[in-house]
Amino acid sequence: MKKYKIFVPLMVIFLFLSAAMVEVVYENMVYMPLVFKDGYYYDTPTPTATLTPTATKTPKPPTPTPTATPTYIVAEGGNSCVYIWDAVRTVDGGTRVISQAPSVCSYLTIHSWQDHPLGNLLIVKAERIKTDTYGCEEDDFGPLVKWPPIDGVCPPPEIPPDPFSEDPWGDIETLTLERSAAIVCGYCEECGVPFTLNCKEVRR
């Protein structure tokens, strides 16, 4: 009888606690949504926020700075004579001059344009580039070129230079112009009046 007296109060306490726990579970179910899958209950997964990528504008690359082309530095002195080997009309109507100048460090320039019954007459002359500057540096030429270069003496107008001799005079130089010419002459200040070494008609 004593056992029942102890058992009954314990049973009442147990039932009371059980009822309280069930009530707590039901109350909290409102805040704990469930997902049913394959016969089992799982906590609803918390959705991961999807970030919308922000479009970024590609910056415009900087405008490239063009490299300046070095200019020839003209030396004091140097022979001006030019012997014209050939002159041809280019496909776009210009003029291409093939000539011989006094030095590997000579380049062709326009002396003048003159009127002629056949058309434009072009006179070209040689300018000497200063040694060891752009256009006249030892690395620009082969080992057979004597350094520093020396301008050859201008040949007389009646005797053209021989480009095939063992020690040829000067160097082959070319000049291409957009303007058309009918005749091209080589200037020669060293030759005296009429200051011309020779002339060629322009081939078409």
Side-chain angles (χ1 to χ4, degrees), residues 44-201:
T44 303
T46 304
T48 304
T50 303
L51 298 178
T52 303
T54 304
T56 56
K57 187 176 182 181
T58 304
K60 182 180 179 181
T63 303
T65 303
T67 303
T69 303
T71 56
Y72 296 128
I73 300 176
V74 179
E76 294 181 2
N79 294 331
S80 66
C81 48
V82 174
Y83 187 85
I84 308 298
W85 286 110
D86 199 7
V88 296
R89 182 69 51 83
T90 61
V91 293
D92 56 356
T95 307
R96 180 175 174 80
V97 180
I98 302 168
S99 66
Q100 199 156 343
S103 165
V104 294
C105 285
S106 298
Y107 73 103
L108 300 185
T109 62
I110 298 173
H111 175 270
S112 61
W113 289 90
Q114 296 181 13
D115 293 329
H116 191 276
L118 296 178
N120 292 324
L121 188 149
L122 168 65
I123 301 176
V124 296
K125 65 179 290 187
E127 292 277 10
R128 179 65 155 80
I129 303 170
K130 186 177 180 181
T131 304
D132 297 327
T133 63
Y134 171 74
C136 186
E137 297 178 276
E138 188 173 5
D139 293 342
D140 297 335
F141 307 98
L144 299 179
V145 176
K146 297 178 182 178
W147 203 262
I150 299 173
D151 284 17
V153 177
C154 295
E158 64 274 9
I159 304 176
D162 182 4
F164 303 106
S165 67
E166 293 183 3
D167 187 18
W169 173 78
D171 189 49
I172 300 296
E173 296 291 334
T174 61
L175 178 66
T176 302
L177 304 171
E178 294 181 358
R179 186 175 176 182
S180 63
I183 300 173
V184 178
C185 295
Y187 182 73
C188 181
E189 186 175 349
E190 298 78 12
C191 299
V193 180
F195 305 110
T196 303
L197 196 55
N198 77 319
C199 295
K200 291 282 185 179
E201 287 191 26

